[in-house]
Every structure is written in structure tokens, then in C-alpha cells.
Amino acid sequence: MTDIDFAGVYPAMCTPFHEDGSIDFETLRENAGRLIEAGVDGLVPVGSTGESATLSHDEHIEVVEAVVAARDGSDRDVPVIAGTGSNSTREALELSRRSAAAGADALLLVSPYYNLPEQQGLIEHYRTIADAVDLPQIVYNVPSRTGLNVDPDTVVELAGHANVRAYKAASGDMVRMGEIVERTRDEDFAVLSGDDGMTLPLLSAGGTGVISVAANVEPARCVEYVHAALAGDFERAREIHHELGPLFRALFAETNPIPVKEAMELRGYGPAHLRSPLTRMRPDNREELAGVLEDLAAPADEPAVAVAGGSR
């Protein structure tokens, strides 16, 4: 894998499960291949959307290995960015080392959750992993899940480390995102959206792409609008952004990844099974989601594939 510029669309992949809760590796590999064929710029397994919180460490690495194998068997050499974050520095370091050994090209590290470290603790956490694992790494800020923000000063300081190469912004705070873009312009550092609905505003401010939930369902459209924006064609980018707006909203009608797994099942891309404590989407929300998908219609180059056990 050549150097990663962290520009474009990186689907935050679902981890498909069989009805008994075991990982459906066949569907996982098929989805990786489908996304690569649709033109995405990389793949992000075992993040929040991949239900990493309910995977054992061994399962976590098996998913990374499966996605790497699917990539290696494809016609395009896209990076695999493994989610390896934890609220324990020791655990995040172990997952990062094992993911690197499994063939991951880069790492996505959510900020430590629940134990609420101070900003200096965040700096030490990220530096420990960046010093020990020689792969490009993304600092991931999602305060709605972690309970704290990674402050701009912290991001700017971390951006000076050679292995800390990007920031995934999922705070919903455009002023904070814009400040980080502004203050890291002279670094080899990218700012990626972690919220599909905020991607276009962030791109207009100098962001470089998105780690996307919606791209699991509409990869080709997501790629087209993000690449249009990166090329300066904001008229086309806005047009597709508005086409996808109802999908962006429907995919967060309930806790991610509940809706996107329902959407995947409705499109024939895999079963919607989740691991407890997540539960299936409420019928009213599922009906609304189905209407959104029907309005969008599957692109002709992405035929739906029937999946055994994929119906309710």
C-alpha cells in the first residue's frame, strides 16, 4: 500500500452476523468487494458501525483479516483502516499492534470513553500508540459516544507526530472542525467528516473526505459527490448532497448501526442481525427508511444480491 492521503470516501463498514450472533464472514467479504467496485477510497472495519464494542479481540482481528483478504483479491489497492480505539491505552495498543500484523494500512482510534481523561491524558494516549505502531493513525472525536471532546489544541499538538495523520470529526460543531482545518493547514494532516450530513460543509472549509455510514448503502453516489466537491464542482456536490439528505437522516433515526443494517438488508446486502444490547429498528422507522431507499433506487451498477436469511 502506498502512502494514504486520506481524501475521499471511506465506508464505516458493518459487521454482518448470522442469526445466532456469529460473524457472517462471507457477507463481510462480499460487501468489501462491492464497496471497492463502487469506487470508494478505502474501507474502515471494526469501528462503531462495525459493532466493535461487542466483538472479542480475536473476532476483531478476524474481521480485519477478512477485509484485508477481500481487498487483496480485488482489482483495486485501497487502504484498510482498522478501528482500534479503547478507553484503555493498553488495550488500544494491543488491538493496534494486532491489526497492523493482520495487514491493516492505517488505524482509527476513538478517544477513550467513560473514564473521561483530561486533555493531557488524551495526548499521552495517542502518542503512546503512535510511537509504538508505525502506521498512519486517525484521531476520532465523537463526544456523543465518549462523553468528552478532543479539544482543537490537543488535535493540533498531536498533528505534529509523524504517525498522527488525520482527524475524524463527529462533534457536530462546524466551528471546531473549521478551526482544526485552519490550524493544521501546514501539517501533513487531513480532517475527515464523521457525520454524513456535515461532510459537504466540512469539504467547503478544507476538509478532505468522510468516514461514512451512508456509503455502505449508496457508495457510488457518495463517491461522486465527495469527489465533485474535492474537484471544486460544488454545484454537482450540492445536488447529490440534497438527494442523499433523506438517507442521511433516516440512517440516524435510531442508534447507529441499527438503521444502516436495516438498509443493507432492504437492499439485499446482508442480514440486519445485531448483537445485544442493540435491537432491531422500530417498524415505523423501518417503513420510512424503506421509502427513502425506494425513492433513491439502487444504482444500475449495484444490483441487489439476495442473502440467505436476510428477511424478517
Side-chain angles (χ1 to χ4, degrees), residues 89 112 116-128 148-151 153-154 157-158:
T89 303
L116 301 178
E118 299 297 328
Q119 295 298 308
Q120 185 59 39
L122 293 175
I123 290 169
E124 293 177 8
H125 172 84
Y126 282 110
R127 279 184 175 163
T128 295
L148 84 166
N149 261 305
V150 183
D151 288 346
D153 287 348
T154 299
E157 184 164 347
L158 289 169

Side-chain angles (χ1 to χ4, degrees), residues 19-68:
E19 191 169 3
D20 65 2
S22 61
I23 297 171
D24 182 348
F25 286 102
E26 181 179 359
T27 298
L28 176 66
R29 288 187 290 266
E30 288 174 354
N31 279 324
R34 175 179 59 84
L35 294 170
I36 292 170
E37 289 178 10
V40 301
D41 298 282
L43 300 171
V44 186
V46 287
S48 304
T49 308
E51 295 177 75
S52 58
T54 65
L55 301 180
S56 71
H57 286 196
D58 287 344
E59 287 177 323
H60 189 114
I61 300 307
E62 288 168 358
V63 169
V64 174
E65 290 172 338
V67 173
V68 168

Side-chain angles (χ1 to χ4, degrees), residues 153-310:
D153 287 348
T154 299
V155 179
V156 172
E157 184 164 347
L158 289 169
H161 194 294
N163 283 336
V164 180
R165 293 281 309 285
Y167 170 75
K168 178 182 176 184
S171 68
D173 185 340
M174 192 60 221
V175 173
R176 178 184 295 264
M177 298 178 201
E179 179 183 348
I180 292 168
V181 171
E182 173 193 338
R183 294 177 63 191
T184 58
R185 286 179 298 171
D186 295 331
E187 303 283 352
D188 183 13
F189 194 78
V191 178
L192 299 161
S193 176
D195 178 345
D196 283 295
M198 295 291 288
T199 301
L200 189 56
L202 182 58
L203 291 170
S204 72
T208 61
V210 58
I211 296 177
S212 170
V213 174
N216 286 287
V217 184
E218 287 283 348
R221 276 191 174 101
C222 288
V223 167
E224 184 180 358
Y225 98 81
V226 169
H227 282 252
L230 290 173
D233 186 357
F234 280 92
E235 182 175 355
R236 179 58 178 153
R238 281 193 298 271
E239 181 181 357
I240 304 172
H241 170 83
H242 290 310
E243 288 175 3
L244 292 172
L247 178 64
F248 296 161
R249 294 187 290 275
L251 290 180
F252 285 87
E254 296 182 22
T255 301
N256 179 50
I258 293 171
V260 70
K261 279 202 157 180
E262 295 287 350
M264 297 278 279
E265 179 174 283
L266 287 164
R267 278 284 174 87
Y269 298 150
H273 304 307
L274 300 143
R275 281 188 175 174
S276 182
L278 296 182
T279 53
R280 293 290 295 267
M281 198 173 196
R282 297 196 306 270
D284 57 333
N285 285 334
R286 190 176 196 271
E287 183 177 354
E288 183 175 343
L289 174 62
V292 169
L293 294 174
E294 185 176 350
D295 289 342
L296 283 170
D301 60 350
E302 288 188 54
V305 178
V307 177

Side-chain angles (χ1 to χ4, degrees), residues 57-59 61 64-65 93-103:
H57 286 196
D58 287 344
E59 287 177 323
I61 300 307
V64 174
E65 290 172 338
L93 181 55
E94 177 188 354
L95 284 171
S96 296
R97 283 174 165 155
R98 292 185 66 184
S99 293

